[in-house]
Structures are given as C-alpha cells and as structure tokens.
Amino acid sequence: MFPPLPLDWSGLHPLIIHFPIALLLVAPLLLILGVALKNGRRAYLVSALVLMVVGTITTYVAVSTGEAAGELAEGVGSVGAMLERHEELAETSRAVFTVLTLLFGALLAVPTLMKRELQGPLFYIAHGVFLAAYLGGSVLLANTAHEGGMLVHQAGVRAMVATGQ
C-alpha cells in the first residue's frame, strides 16, 4: 500500500524540500570537476549551472509550501520562534542561491558572448572565488535544513496528510 498523500499545498513541503537541498549541494561537485578536469570542462560547468537553476527554482516552491505549512504550525505549541527562524533562513537561502545562480550563469555566459574565454590563473581565481561564496551559501542552506529538522524532530511539527485510504 502507498503512503498517504498530502491534503494540500502545505502538506507538500516535506516532499519538495529535499530537492533544492540535494541539487544545490551536489552542484559544486560538478563545478569542482569542471575546474579540475580539462576534458569535458564545459559540460561539467554547464551541468553545475543546470543543477543550480533547478535547485534555485525549487527553493521558491519549497519556501511557498513552507509558508503554507507554517501557517498551520503556528498554532502548534511553542514553535513560533523556531518557525520564524526557519522561515527567515529559508528566505535568505532562496535569495542567496538566486544571486549565486545568476552570478555563475554570468561567469559562464559573459566570456562566451564576448568570445573570450577565461584562461589560466583568471579562470581558476574566478571559479575559486565563486566556490568560496557558494560554500557560504551551502552552510546557510545546511543551517536552514537543520532548523527545519528541529521543527520536525524536536518540536513535533508534521505535515497534514490524508488518512484512511
């Protein structure tokens, strides 16, 4: 028998949230491969960008479903402060990854459009600086996920799901 399905938009949050986390945390691995390997470099970098784009788009869905779920959770015990902290971190994560994704897209597109690819030390410095910034975003994302996990595992906040089917 299949597990119960969420009743509405707010119940989708636990299903959706794992996509941006996984996609955004795997993307820098492809970026590192693209920087480290000369063969297939462009394919790895474009693949990293695709993961960032899809991961960032899913942060918008995750925040939306989370806001809907948060409205239901506000009445559950004394989770208000935890919920507020998680919401703030989620919105900040969404903004940070939007900027990071746009920056990486520009890092790939601008040299291509100018028909002057980054080479040598400039290539490694630009991508290294980006990776350092991305690391900061990843730490923020991990903290956001941790706060969400605490809401579930410490405070007992759960998604509304269908019963009896």
Side-chain angles (χ1 to χ4, degrees):
M1 173 162 278
F2 291 107
L5 296 174
L7 288 173
D8 58 14
W9 189 245
S10 63
L12 289 174
H13 188 65
L15 299 174
I16 297 298
I17 193 56
H18 298 94
F19 288 100
I21 294 168
L23 294 170
L24 293 171
L25 293 180
V26 168
L29 300 177
L30 291 172
L31 183 99
I32 290 168
L33 286 172
V35 169
L37 303 174
K38 293 197 188 251
N39 287 343
R41 171 173 283 168
R42 186 80 178 160
Y44 283 114
L45 296 176
V46 169
S47 296
L49 178 61
V50 168
L51 288 184
M52 287 180 211
V53 168
V54 176
T56 299
I57 289 169
T58 59
T59 64
Y60 283 84
V61 178
V63 168
S64 178
T65 59
E67 287 171 348
E71 289 176 16
L72 298 174
E74 284 175 355
V76 178
S78 59
V79 298
M82 284 177 81
L83 187 60
E84 185 64 31
R85 173 93 175 124
H86 179 59
E87 287 177 1
E88 288 174 6
L89 285 169
E91 290 169 358
T92 303
S93 294
R94 177 182 62 190
V96 165
F97 279 100
T98 298
V99 170
L100 286 169
T101 301
L102 291 171
L103 285 173
F104 190 66
L107 184 61
L108 292 184
V110 169
T112 301
L113 293 173
M114 294 179 66
K115 295 181 181 5
R116 193 165 183 215
E117 293 297 321
L118 294 177
Q119 295 178 1
L122 186 56
F123 174 85
Y124 294 105
I125 291 168
H127 287 84
V129 168
F130 180 79
L131 272 169
Y134 202 94
L135 176 63
S138 296
V139 169
L140 175 64
L141 183 63
N143 284 332
T144 304
H146 177 70
E147 288 288 328
M150 288 177 54
L151 278 167
V152 171
H153 299 290
Q154 285 186 351
V157 175
R158 301 279 189 261
M160 303 299 285
V161 293
T163 58
Q165 290 184 338

CSV table of all heavy atoms in Angstrom, one decimal, residues 24-57:
chain,number,residue,atom,x,y,z
A,24,LEU,N,21.3,21.6,-4.9
A,24,LEU,CA,22.2,22.7,-4.6
A,24,LEU,C,23.5,22.3,-3.9
A,24,LEU,O,24.6,22.9,-4.0
A,24,LEU,CB,21.5,23.8,-3.8
A,24,LEU,CG,20.4,24.6,-4.5
A,24,LEU,CD1,19.6,25.5,-3.6
A,24,LEU,CD2,21.0,25.3,-5.7
A,25,LEU,N,23.5,21.2,-3.2
A,25,LEU,CA,24.7,20.7,-2.5
A,25,LEU,C,25.5,19.8,-3.5
A,25,LEU,O,26.7,19.6,-3.2
A,25,LEU,CB,24.3,20.0,-1.2
A,25,LEU,CG,23.8,20.8,-0.1
A,25,LEU,CD1,23.5,20.0,1.1
A,25,LEU,CD2,24.7,22.0,0.2
A,26,VAL,N,24.9,19.3,-4.5
A,26,VAL,CA,25.6,18.4,-5.5
A,26,VAL,C,26.3,19.3,-6.6
A,26,VAL,O,27.4,19.0,-7.1
A,26,VAL,CB,24.7,17.4,-6.1
A,26,VAL,CG1,25.4,16.7,-7.3
A,26,VAL,CG2,24.4,16.3,-5.1
A,27,ALA,N,25.7,20.4,-6.9
A,27,ALA,CA,26.2,21.3,-8.0
A,27,ALA,C,27.6,21.7,-7.8
A,27,ALA,O,28.4,21.6,-8.8
A,27,ALA,CB,25.3,22.6,-8.0
A,28,PRO,N,28.1,22.1,-6.6
A,28,PRO,CA,29.5,22.4,-6.5
A,28,PRO,C,30.5,21.3,-6.8
A,28,PRO,O,31.7,21.5,-7.2
A,28,PRO,CB,29.7,23.0,-5.1
A,28,PRO,CG,28.6,22.4,-4.4
A,28,PRO,CD,27.5,22.3,-5.3
A,29,LEU,N,30.0,20.0,-6.7
A,29,LEU,CA,30.9,18.9,-7.0
A,29,LEU,C,31.2,18.9,-8.5
A,29,LEU,O,32.3,18.6,-9.0
A,29,LEU,CB,30.2,17.6,-6.6
A,29,LEU,CG,30.0,17.5,-5.1
A,29,LEU,CD1,29.3,16.2,-4.7
A,29,LEU,CD2,31.3,17.6,-4.3
A,30,LEU,N,30.1,19.2,-9.3
A,30,LEU,CA,30.3,19.2,-10.8
A,30,LEU,C,31.2,20.4,-11.1
A,30,LEU,O,32.0,20.4,-12.0
A,30,LEU,CB,28.9,19.3,-11.5
A,30,LEU,CG,28.1,18.0,-11.4
A,30,LEU,CD1,26.7,18.3,-11.9
A,30,LEU,CD2,28.8,16.9,-12.1
A,31,LEU,N,31.0,21.5,-10.4
A,31,LEU,CA,31.8,22.7,-10.6
A,31,LEU,C,33.3,22.4,-10.4
A,31,LEU,O,34.2,22.8,-11.2
A,31,LEU,CB,31.3,23.8,-9.8
A,31,LEU,CG,32.1,25.1,-10.0
A,31,LEU,CD1,31.3,26.0,-10.9
A,31,LEU,CD2,32.3,25.8,-8.7
A,32,ILE,N,33.6,21.7,-9.3
A,32,ILE,CA,34.9,21.3,-9.0
A,32,ILE,C,35.5,20.4,-10.1
A,32,ILE,O,36.7,20.6,-10.5
A,32,ILE,CB,35.0,20.6,-7.6
A,32,ILE,CG1,34.7,21.7,-6.5
A,32,ILE,CG2,36.4,20.0,-7.4
A,32,ILE,CD1,34.5,21.1,-5.1
A,33,LEU,N,34.7,19.5,-10.5
A,33,LEU,CA,35.2,18.6,-11.7
A,33,LEU,C,35.5,19.4,-12.9
A,33,LEU,O,36.4,19.2,-13.6
A,33,LEU,CB,34.2,17.5,-12.0
A,33,LEU,CG,34.1,16.4,-11.0
A,33,LEU,CD1,32.9,15.5,-11.3
A,33,LEU,CD2,35.3,15.6,-10.9
A,34,GLY,N,34.6,20.4,-13.2
A,34,GLY,CA,34.8,21.3,-14.3
A,34,GLY,C,36.0,22.1,-14.2
A,34,GLY,O,36.7,22.4,-15.2
A,35,VAL,N,36.4,22.5,-13.0
A,35,VAL,CA,37.6,23.3,-12.8
A,35,VAL,C,38.8,22.4,-12.9
A,35,VAL,O,39.9,22.7,-13.5
A,35,VAL,CB,37.6,24.1,-11.5
A,35,VAL,CG1,38.9,24.7,-11.2
A,35,VAL,CG2,36.5,25.2,-11.6
A,36,ALA,N,38.7,21.2,-12.3
A,36,ALA,CA,39.9,20.3,-12.2
A,36,ALA,C,40.2,19.6,-13.5
A,36,ALA,O,41.4,19.3,-13.7
A,36,ALA,CB,39.6,19.3,-11.1
A,37,LEU,N,39.2,19.2,-14.3
A,37,LEU,CA,39.4,18.5,-15.5
A,37,LEU,C,39.4,19.3,-16.7
A,37,LEU,O,38.5,20.2,-16.8
A,37,LEU,CB,38.4,17.4,-15.6
A,37,LEU,CG,38.2,16.4,-14.4
A,37,LEU,CD1,37.1,15.5,-14.6
A,37,LEU,CD2,39.5,15.6,-14.2
A,38,LYS,N,40.3,19.1,-17.6
A,38,LYS,CA,40.3,19.9,-18.9
A,38,LYS,C,39.4,19.2,-19.9
A,38,LYS,O,38.7,19.9,-20.6
A,38,LYS,CB,41.7,20.0,-19.4
A,38,LYS,CG,42.6,20.9,-18.5
A,38,LYS,CD,43.8,21.3,-19.2
A,38,LYS,CE,44.7,22.0,-18.2
A,38,LYS,NZ,44.8,23.4,-18.3
A,39,ASN,N,39.3,17.9,-19.9
A,39,ASN,CA,38.4,17.2,-20.8
A,39,ASN,C,37.0,17.3,-20.3
A,39,ASN,O,36.7,16.9,-19.2
A,39,ASN,CB,38.8,15.7,-21.0
A,39,ASN,CG,40.1,15.6,-21.9
A,39,ASN,OD1,40.4,16.5,-22.6
A,39,ASN,ND2,40.7,14.4,-21.8
A,40,GLY,N,36.1,17.8,-21.1
A,40,GLY,CA,34.7,17.8,-20.7
A,40,GLY,C,34.4,19.0,-19.7
A,40,GLY,O,33.4,19.0,-19.1
A,41,ARG,N,35.3,19.9,-19.6
A,41,ARG,CA,35.2,21.0,-18.7
A,41,ARG,C,33.9,21.8,-18.8
A,41,ARG,O,33.1,22.0,-17.9
A,41,ARG,CB,36.4,22.0,-18.8
A,41,ARG,CG,36.2,23.3,-18.1
A,41,ARG,CD,37.4,24.2,-18.1
A,41,ARG,NE,38.4,23.6,-17.2
A,41,ARG,CZ,39.6,23.9,-17.1
A,41,ARG,NH1,40.1,24.8,-18.0
A,41,ARG,NH2,40.4,23.3,-16.2
A,42,ARG,N,33.6,22.1,-20.0
A,42,ARG,CA,32.3,22.9,-20.3
A,42,ARG,C,31.1,22.1,-19.9
A,42,ARG,O,30.2,22.7,-19.4
A,42,ARG,CB,32.3,23.3,-21.8
A,42,ARG,CG,31.2,24.2,-22.2
A,42,ARG,CD,31.5,25.6,-21.8
A,42,ARG,NE,30.5,26.5,-22.2
A,42,ARG,CZ,30.3,27.7,-21.7
A,42,ARG,NH1,31.1,28.2,-20.8
A,42,ARG,NH2,29.3,28.5,-22.1
A,43,ALA,N,31.1,20.8,-20.2
A,43,ALA,CA,29.9,20.0,-19.9
A,43,ALA,C,29.7,20.0,-18.4
A,43,ALA,O,28.6,20.1,-17.9
A,43,ALA,CB,30.1,18.6,-20.4
A,44,TYR,N,30.8,19.8,-17.6
A,44,TYR,CA,30.6,19.8,-16.1
A,44,TYR,C,30.1,21.2,-15.6
A,44,TYR,O,29.3,21.2,-14.7
A,44,TYR,CB,32.0,19.5,-15.5
A,44,TYR,CG,32.3,18.0,-15.5
A,44,TYR,CD1,33.4,17.6,-16.3
A,44,TYR,CD2,31.6,17.1,-14.9
A,44,TYR,CE1,33.8,16.2,-16.3
A,44,TYR,CE2,31.9,15.7,-14.9
A,44,TYR,CZ,33.0,15.3,-15.7
A,44,TYR,OH,33.3,14.0,-15.7
A,45,LEU,N,30.7,22.2,-16.2
A,45,LEU,CA,30.3,23.6,-15.7
A,45,LEU,C,28.8,23.9,-16.1
A,45,LEU,O,28.1,24.4,-15.2
A,45,LEU,CB,31.2,24.6,-16.3
A,45,LEU,CG,32.7,24.5,-15.8
A,45,LEU,CD1,33.5,25.6,-16.5
A,45,LEU,CD2,32.8,24.7,-14.3
A,46,VAL,N,28.4,23.5,-17.3
A,46,VAL,CA,27.0,23.7,-17.7
A,46,VAL,C,26.1,22.8,-16.8
A,46,VAL,O,25.0,23.3,-16.4
A,46,VAL,CB,26.8,23.5,-19.2
A,46,VAL,CG1,25.4,23.4,-19.6
A,46,VAL,CG2,27.6,24.6,-20.0
A,47,SER,N,26.5,21.6,-16.6
A,47,SER,CA,25.7,20.7,-15.7
A,47,SER,C,25.6,21.3,-14.3
A,47,SER,O,24.5,21.2,-13.7
A,47,SER,CB,26.4,19.3,-15.6
A,47,SER,OG,26.4,18.7,-16.9
A,48,ALA,N,26.6,21.9,-13.8
A,48,ALA,CA,26.6,22.5,-12.5
A,48,ALA,C,25.5,23.6,-12.5
A,48,ALA,O,24.7,23.8,-11.6
A,48,ALA,CB,27.9,23.0,-12.0
A,49,LEU,N,25.6,24.4,-13.6
A,49,LEU,CA,24.6,25.5,-13.7
A,49,LEU,C,23.2,25.0,-13.8
A,49,LEU,O,22.3,25.6,-13.2
A,49,LEU,CB,24.9,26.4,-15.0
A,49,LEU,CG,24.0,27.5,-15.2
A,49,LEU,CD1,24.0,28.5,-14.0
A,49,LEU,CD2,24.4,28.2,-16.5
A,50,VAL,N,23.0,23.9,-14.5
A,50,VAL,CA,21.6,23.4,-14.6
A,50,VAL,C,21.1,22.9,-13.3
A,50,VAL,O,20.0,23.2,-12.9
A,50,VAL,CB,21.6,22.2,-15.6
A,50,VAL,CG1,20.3,21.4,-15.5
A,50,VAL,CG2,21.8,22.7,-17.1
A,51,LEU,N,22.0,22.3,-12.5
A,51,LEU,CA,21.6,21.9,-11.1
A,51,LEU,C,21.3,23.1,-10.3
A,51,LEU,O,20.3,23.1,-9.5
A,51,LEU,CB,22.6,21.0,-10.5
A,51,LEU,CG,22.8,19.6,-11.0
A,51,LEU,CD1,23.9,18.9,-10.1
A,51,LEU,CD2,21.5,18.9,-11.0
A,52,MET,N,22.1,24.2,-10.4
A,52,MET,CA,21.8,25.4,-9.6
A,52,MET,C,20.5,26.0,-10.0
A,52,MET,O,19.7,26.5,-9.2
A,52,MET,CB,23.0,26.4,-9.9
A,52,MET,CG,24.2,26.0,-9.2
A,52,MET,SD,25.5,27.3,-9.6
A,52,MET,CE,27.0,26.3,-9.5
A,53,VAL,N,20.2,26.1,-11.3
A,53,VAL,CA,19.0,26.7,-11.8
A,53,VAL,C,17.8,25.9,-11.3
A,53,VAL,O,16.8,26.5,-10.7
A,53,VAL,CB,18.9,26.8,-13.3
A,53,VAL,CG1,17.5,27.1,-13.8
A,53,VAL,CG2,19.9,27.8,-13.8
A,54,VAL,N,17.8,24.6,-11.4
A,54,VAL,CA,16.7,23.7,-11.0
A,54,VAL,C,16.6,23.8,-9.4
A,54,VAL,O,15.5,23.9,-8.9
A,54,VAL,CB,16.8,22.3,-11.5
A,54,VAL,CG1,15.6,21.4,-10.9
A,54,VAL,CG2,16.7,22.3,-13.0
A,55,GLY,N,17.7,23.7,-8.8
A,55,GLY,CA,17.7,23.8,-7.3
A,55,GLY,C,17.2,25.1,-6.8
A,55,GLY,O,16.4,25.2,-5.8
A,56,THR,N,17.6,26.2,-7.5
A,56,THR,CA,17.1,27.5,-7.1
A,56,THR,C,15.6,27.7,-7.3
A,56,THR,O,14.9,28.2,-6.5
A,56,THR,CB,17.9,28.6,-7.8
A,56,THR,OG1,19.3,28.5,-7.4
A,56,THR,CG2,17.4,30.0,-7.4
A,57,ILE,N,15.1,27.2,-8.5
A,57,ILE,CA,13.7,27.2,-8.7
A,57,ILE,C,12.9,26.5,-7.7
A,57,ILE,O,11.9,26.9,-7.2
A,57,ILE,CB,13.4,26.7,-10.2
A,57,ILE,CG1,13.9,27.7,-11.2
A,57,ILE,CG2,11.9,26.4,-10.3
A,57,ILE,CD1,13.9,27.1,-12.6
